[in-house]
Amino acid sequence: MQSRIAFQLGQSVAPALRRTALAASTTKLAGALAFQHAQSLFSQPGSLRLYSDAKYRTIKVPHMADSITEGTLKSWAKLVGEQVEQDEEVASIETDKVDIPVNSPVGGVIRELLAKEEDTVVVGQDLFKIEEGATAEGGAAPSAPKAAEPTPSEPVATPKKSEPAAPAAPAAQPVAAPKEAPVKESKPAASASPVLFGTAERSERRVKMNRMRLRISERLKQSQNTAASLTTFNEIDMSNLIDLRKTYKDDVLKTHGVKLGYMGAFVKASTHALQAVPEVNASIDGDHLVYYDYCDVSVAVATPKGLVTPVLRNTERMSIVDVEQEIANLGKKARDNKITVEDMAGGTFTISNGGVFGSLYGTPIINMPQAAILGMHAIKERPVVVNGKIEIRPMMYVALSYDHRIIDGREAVTFLVKLKEVIEDPRRLLLSV
């Protein structure tokens, strides 16, 4: 009896055991096949890579300057998936002074951008991720294929225009006797499109101020609110300086590779005057006056984004040609948007040349915390009295805006007189008189 029960139990359990064993073997076989397939995929050249083993690196917003802690992300030069070389620019951050390029410290492929354009980013913030040493897959996108052009041997079939069918002749109709049109009073024809004055289309645009323009606005208003600003004027006969430039400009260009302009002479003349009148080369720090024994002259340069003032350092040690070379270098950097914060840091005196734009007369605003700024203007021929006779001379108005808290009227006028003497007789620079 017991053996019969065991036999029946075995008969009922055996199919289930067979099914379980079959499922297990099927699963094992599928796993082995999947492993072999994956192994064959990753062994092929150009196949998928295991990014879990890739060397990722997170690049942060770099240190920009001691006084700059944040900026606006203006543009991405590289996008996700693009190749980047070491020290190649990836992004540009706009600050209130200059645009800071963000370069990649390593070569590789951009994998993730962690900020959007126009976002405010702070120093030390994660900016993008790069896979170090990787190569972009697929290379540059192929250009769209051009439409096949017919070869000269293949005549181009031009479709003939279908000529309209001639209209059918109208059926003969009886000719009606002409009727006389009623005579109406003639009136002038009304204009088809009358001109309505004052209805021209008018529009306006709103453009967000960039950080540099906001900073310029803030500093100019600060200057107006802080300094006891006053402006004094003088005029300069430019005849001798113009003759000097005409005589030696070709030699200077050939020898030094720089064009001889007027800014070099004005910087040196201003340096001469600053050393003669030290109150102009000073600033206020709390309840102290700071007098500088060196002359760092800021030169205003117009750029598409606003006015920048790179600094010529230690101009008391420079010649006119040295000044011209440094102005050319800084001007090129400013126009190419390559100027740095260090190029504009400091400065004890500023020169602004509105004459290059045709300005005849103006009152420049002091570049705080400096004590004064010189404004140059356009050279115009005017009748002047020379040795009791009226002569036509090339003349320039110059203006000195100064902080009356530091500089009195006597010092301001003396400064412009010293400047005028050197420009009208450049030989004084050789004798330091």
Side-chain angles (χ1 to χ4, degrees):
M1 182 67 179
Q2 291 179 351
S3 61
R4 184 178 182 182
I5 293 174
F7 175 77
Q8 292 177 350
L9 181 62
Q11 290 285 17
S12 61
V13 172
L17 291 175
R18 286 196 297 270
R19 286 194 298 271
T20 303
L22 180 61
S25 64
T26 302
T27 303
K28 186 176 181 180
L29 178 61
L33 291 174
F35 175 77
Q36 291 178 357
H37 180 65
Q39 193 176 29
S40 65
L41 278 178
F42 287 105
S43 64
Q44 295 175 5
S47 61
L48 298 175
R49 289 175 293 176
L50 293 174
Y51 288 113
S52 58
D53 296 332
K55 191 174 180 181
Y56 281 98
R57 187 166 176 179
T58 301
I59 309 302
K60 300 180 181 295
V61 176
H63 175 75
M64 294 177 278
D66 293 337
S67 60
I68 300 176
T69 59
E70 66 176 22
T72 300
L73 179 61
K74 292 306 293 181
S75 62
W76 285 107
K78 296 290 182 178
L79 301 178
V80 173
E82 292 187 351
Q83 182 79 30
V84 60
E85 303 297 332
Q86 185 176 6
D87 292 329
E88 186 176 1
E89 183 175 334
V90 177
S92 177
I93 298 177
E94 180 189 72
T95 71
D96 55 7
K97 295 182 179 179
V98 294
D99 286 356
I100 305 293
V102 180
N103 298 334
S104 176
V106 295
V109 176
I110 303 296
R111 291 303 178 195
E112 187 177 358
L113 304 180
L114 304 177
K116 299 178 181 178
E117 293 183 356
E118 299 300 330
D119 282 357
T120 297
V121 294
V122 298
V123 174
Q125 175 183 331
D126 292 347
L127 192 59
F128 64 92
K129 290 184 179 180
I130 184 172
E131 183 184 352
E132 187 174 351
T135 304
E137 298 176 2
S143 58
K146 296 182 179 180
E149 297 180 358
T151 58
S153 59
E154 297 177 357
V156 180
T158 56
K160 297 181 179 180
K161 296 182 179 180
S162 57
E163 298 179 357
Q173 295 180 358
V175 179
K179 297 181 180 180
E180 293 183 1
V183 179
K184 295 182 179 180
E185 183 181 355
S186 62
K187 294 182 180 180
S191 174
S193 55
V195 178
L196 301 178
F197 294 99
T199 60
E201 182 181 355
R202 307 195 315 157
S203 61
E204 63 181 26
R205 293 183 302 120
R206 289 181 179 269
V207 180
K208 184 179 179 180
M209 296 173 68
N210 59 45
R211 284 180 173 266
M212 183 182 292
R213 176 53 57 188
L214 287 170
R215 182 59 174 163
I216 291 172
S217 303
E218 178 185 336
R219 286 182 57 82
L220 292 178
K221 194 58 184 173
Q222 176 190 6
S223 177
Q224 284 187 330
N225 294 340
T226 303
S229 183
L230 194 63
T231 304
T232 186
F233 301 90
N234 212 321
E235 61 179 0
I236 297 177
D237 185 348
M238 298 288 291
S239 300
N240 289 333
L241 185 58
I242 290 175
D243 291 341
L244 177 71
R245 180 174 179 269
K246 286 181 179 179
T247 302
Y248 295 106
K249 66 177 182 179
D250 293 336
D251 293 337
V252 169
L253 181 61
K254 181 179 179 180
T255 305
H256 301 283
V258 65
K259 294 181 179 180
L260 182 62
Y262 299 120
M263 280 299 297
F266 270 89
V267 170
K268 284 302 296 180
S270 297
T271 302
H272 175 78
L274 289 173
Q275 292 176 319
V277 189
E279 291 82 2
V280 181
N281 197 38
S283 65
I284 293 179
D285 184 12
D287 57 355
H288 289 77
L289 288 174
V290 181
Y291 294 93
Y292 303 101
D293 296 330
Y294 55 88
C295 298
D296 286 354
V297 179
S298 304
V299 179
V301 178
T303 69
K305 288 192 173 183
L307 194 68
V308 296
T309 52
V311 180
L312 304 170
R313 305 192 187 280
N314 299 112
T315 55
E316 73 279 2
R317 304 176 188 174
M318 302 171 72
S319 66
I320 292 179
V321 174
D322 292 336
V323 172
E324 291 287 0
Q325 289 175 330
E326 188 63 15
I327 289 175
N329 294 335
L330 291 173
K332 185 177 185 303
K333 290 177 68 175
R335 288 187 296 271
D336 294 343
N337 205 23
K338 302 291 186 182
I339 198 124
T340 64
V341 177
E342 291 75 16
D343 291 329
M344 298 189 294
T348 63
F349 182 75
T350 297
I351 299 177
S352 176
N353 186 7
V356 296
F357 305 109
S359 173
L360 180 65
Y361 219 70
T363 56
I365 298 178
I366 299 171
N367 183 17
M368 298 294 291
Q370 298 173 11
I373 179 173
L374 175 69
M376 298 169 54
H377 300 94
I379 301 173
K380 301 291 184 181
E381 289 188 342
R382 297 200 306 272
V384 294
V385 178
V386 179
N387 297 325
K389 298 180 180 179
I390 297 178
E391 297 183 11
I392 303 299
R393 294 291 181 94
M395 305 297 292
M396 175 192 287
Y397 289 116
V398 290
L400 182 73
S401 293
Y402 60 97
D403 190 346
H404 213 335
R405 298 177 303 167
I406 307 173
I407 305 169
D408 290 330
R410 180 188 64 179
E411 285 76 20
V413 172
T414 302
F415 177 90
L416 281 187
V417 169
K418 290 286 184 182
L419 178 80
K420 174 184 172 71
E421 290 175 350
V422 171
I423 295 297
E424 291 186 343
D425 187 3
R427 294 172 296 182
R428 286 178 172 270
L429 290 174
L430 298 175
L431 303 175
S432 299
V433 294

